Amino acid sequence: MPRPIQVYIDQNALENNLHVARRSTSARIMAVIKANGYGHGLLRVAEALSDADGFALLDIQDAVRLREAGYRQTVLLLEGFFSEDDLELVAEYELTCVIHSEWQIKMLDAYPKRAALDVWLKVDSGMHRLGFSPLALASAMEALRRHAAVREITLMSHHACADEARGVAGQLTVFNEVAADYRVARSQANSAALLRYPATHGDWVRPGIMLYGASPFSDTTAQQLGLKPAMTLKSRIIGTQDLLAGDEVGYGGRFRADRSMRIGIVACGYADGYPRHAPTGTPVLVDGYPSTLLGRVSMDMLCVDLSAYPKACAGSVVTLWGAGLPVEVVAASAETIAYELMCAVTARVPVVV
Ligand SMILES: *Cc1c(COP(=O)(O)O)cnc(C)c1O
């Protein structure tokens, strides 16, 4: 028997979530599959989302893998190219590039003559991460329009607060003002903007997190949005302990029993991607029953409370997150976000489809 931890990827859930996105917009859908498809597996995700109009990611080798697997839709490099060497592959595999900085426009002079390049010109509408300032946009646009290598230009921006109470209003105004000068396709919306702000949809929307079945909002659950979790992390209890009042559990004796109680030791730790900073009280399911984490998470193990479920024993299935236990809830308890937990599952955890 191998160590019992596994991560289940539900391709039907991915498909369902893409349909939710489709129903929410008439724009084309650029499925964001960066970071190994938010930890779900690049090609596994592409297969389930093969109906998408495009795929967006960062790593040029991943883009090449998509092409070699036969995907013909737009493949967008979200940070564009990083060096002249990349340009050969961009041309050969007909990849679309975000252009976010002046140095990239200069580097384009080295673009191979044989193929035309589609670009997504990024304007910084207020997030102040990547992109040309509204003032610098006109000259960047002009340079790309005149550039022999460039075919189509799409204008894009990214929202900092679409998932929060602040929303998109400020950045949307900035974007619309700069975009008004150009007759090009537009793209701004991440999952949150796609679900909540139709005015941001434009020609292309760029959902990520919602495709994996997590809600981008703290005030609306994935279930309320019609989304299904695509990733479920499960393991089993491999040992139990009967504690007496005063007994301490795990490193640092972080948890101390205030009564006699039974606990389970689960084959899952931070080396599997479970967050080490998750505190006592973080929810888990044991054979489907709600329970909680106790004490510090170790590298390969964690402990759970079995007080409310005395039938639990070695072999009982423990759901760390996913079906029945939204990853957002676990993430909130660990003071992080669903995105980080999904991306953190490590290579040693076997994947089951
Ligand atoms: C990651 C990313 C997205 C997707 O964001 P979600 O919040 O996961 O929907 C969209 N656009 C850009 C530029 C991104 O980097």
Side-chain angles (χ1 to χ4, degrees):
M1 262 283 279
R3 194 165 163 263
I5 189 166
Q6 291 180 323
V7 61
Y8 293 79
I9 305 299
D10 180 347
Q11 290 188 303
N12 292 325
L14 291 163
E15 266 181 62
N16 168 78
N17 300 337
L18 179 60
H19 288 144
V20 173
R22 277 258 183 258
R23 280 201 300 276
S24 311
T25 186
S26 54
R28 280 179 282 175
I29 294 185
M30 175 67 69
V32 179
I33 59 172
K34 63 194 182 197
N36 195 30
Y38 287 46
H40 295 63
L42 182 81
L43 292 179
R44 202 174 293 123
V45 168
E47 188 188 348
L49 302 179
S50 59
D51 227 21
D53 304 291
F55 292 118
L57 40 64
L58 287 103
D59 184 352
I60 199 164
Q61 290 304 336
D62 284 345
V64 168
R65 283 168 68 204
L66 285 181
R67 284 285 185 249
E68 296 202 319
Y71 295 99
R72 301 306 316 154
Q73 48 269 76
T74 301
V75 174
L76 175 67
L77 296 174
L78 284 168
E79 291 177 358
F81 48 85
F82 298 94
S83 69
E84 280 187 14
D85 291 345
D86 290 344
L87 294 176
E88 259 311 312
L89 287 176
V90 168
E92 183 178 350
Y93 290 94
E94 298 182 55
L95 308 177
T96 300
C97 286
V98 168
I99 301 286
H100 56 77
S101 292
E102 196 59 44
W103 64 262
Q104 289 180 312
I105 298 182
K106 293 203 183 85
M107 197 172 277
L108 268 186
D109 291 338
Y111 193 77
K113 294 271 180 296
R114 60 191 149 82
L117 173 67
D118 292 338
V119 299
W120 286 37
L121 176 57
K122 188 161 193 172
V123 59
D124 169 26
S125 55
M127 187 171 184
H128 297 112
R129 197 174 56 175
L130 278 186
F132 292 87
S133 76
L135 290 174
L137 189 72
S139 79
M141 182 68 89
E142 205 36 46
L144 290 174
R145 279 183 162 165
R146 274 192 271 115
H147 207 288
V150 174
R151 185 169 52 193
E152 254 182 60
I153 303 173
T154 297
L155 187 64
M156 76 174 293
S157 193
H158 192 52
H159 283 275
C161 303
D163 55 335
E164 294 176 11
R166 250 169 85 190
V168 298
Q171 286 190 246
L172 178 60
T173 304
V174 172
F175 184 84
N176 284 341
E177 270 170 22
V178 294
D181 295 337
Y182 308 105
R183 288 182 50 187
V184 294
R186 303 174 185 191
S187 175
Q188 303 177 69
N190 57 3
S191 299
L194 164 56
L195 291 165
R196 214 162 254 188
Y197 303 106
T200 63
H201 288 188
D203 299 278
W204 284 93
V205 291
R206 307 189 306 268
I209 193 74
M210 68 176 288
L211 298 176
Y212 306 99
S215 170
F217 309 113
S218 56
D219 61 0
T220 311
T221 65
Q223 195 174 12
Q224 287 169 328
L225 295 166
L227 302 172
K228 295 185 177 157
M231 172 189 286
T232 300
L233 181 63
K234 281 189 187 182
S235 189
R236 289 179 191 270
I237 291 178
I238 56 172
T240 59
Q241 294 276 348
D242 292 300
L243 305 182
L244 301 173
D247 283 351
E248 294 177 349
V249 176
Y251 286 115
R254 180 63 77 86
F255 177 77
R256 193 164 203 275
D258 59 3
R259 58 191 156 84
S260 55
M261 63 188 290
R262 218 161 134 260
I263 66 167
I265 315 305
V266 182
C268 175
Y270 61 80
D272 300 299
Y274 194 88
R276 182 179 171 278
H277 44 277
T280 291
T282 299
V284 300
L285 300 177
V286 180
D287 284 340
Y289 292 91
S291 177
T292 55
L293 178 73
L294 297 180
R296 265 196 195 137
V297 174
S298 311
M299 184 181 281
D300 308 310
M301 282 175 266
L302 53 80
C303 306
V304 298
D305 186 357
L306 301 180
S307 317
Y309 179 49
K311 275 198 204 137
C313 56
S316 291
V317 174
V318 178
T319 302
L320 287 318
W321 65 69
L325 177 59
V327 62
E328 301 93 306
V329 173
V330 178
S333 176
E335 292 183 34
T336 181
I337 51 176
Y339 302 69
E340 191 182 18
L341 295 191
M342 289 173 172
C343 293
V345 176
T346 57
R348 81 176 189 184
V349 180
V351 178
V352 179
V353 184

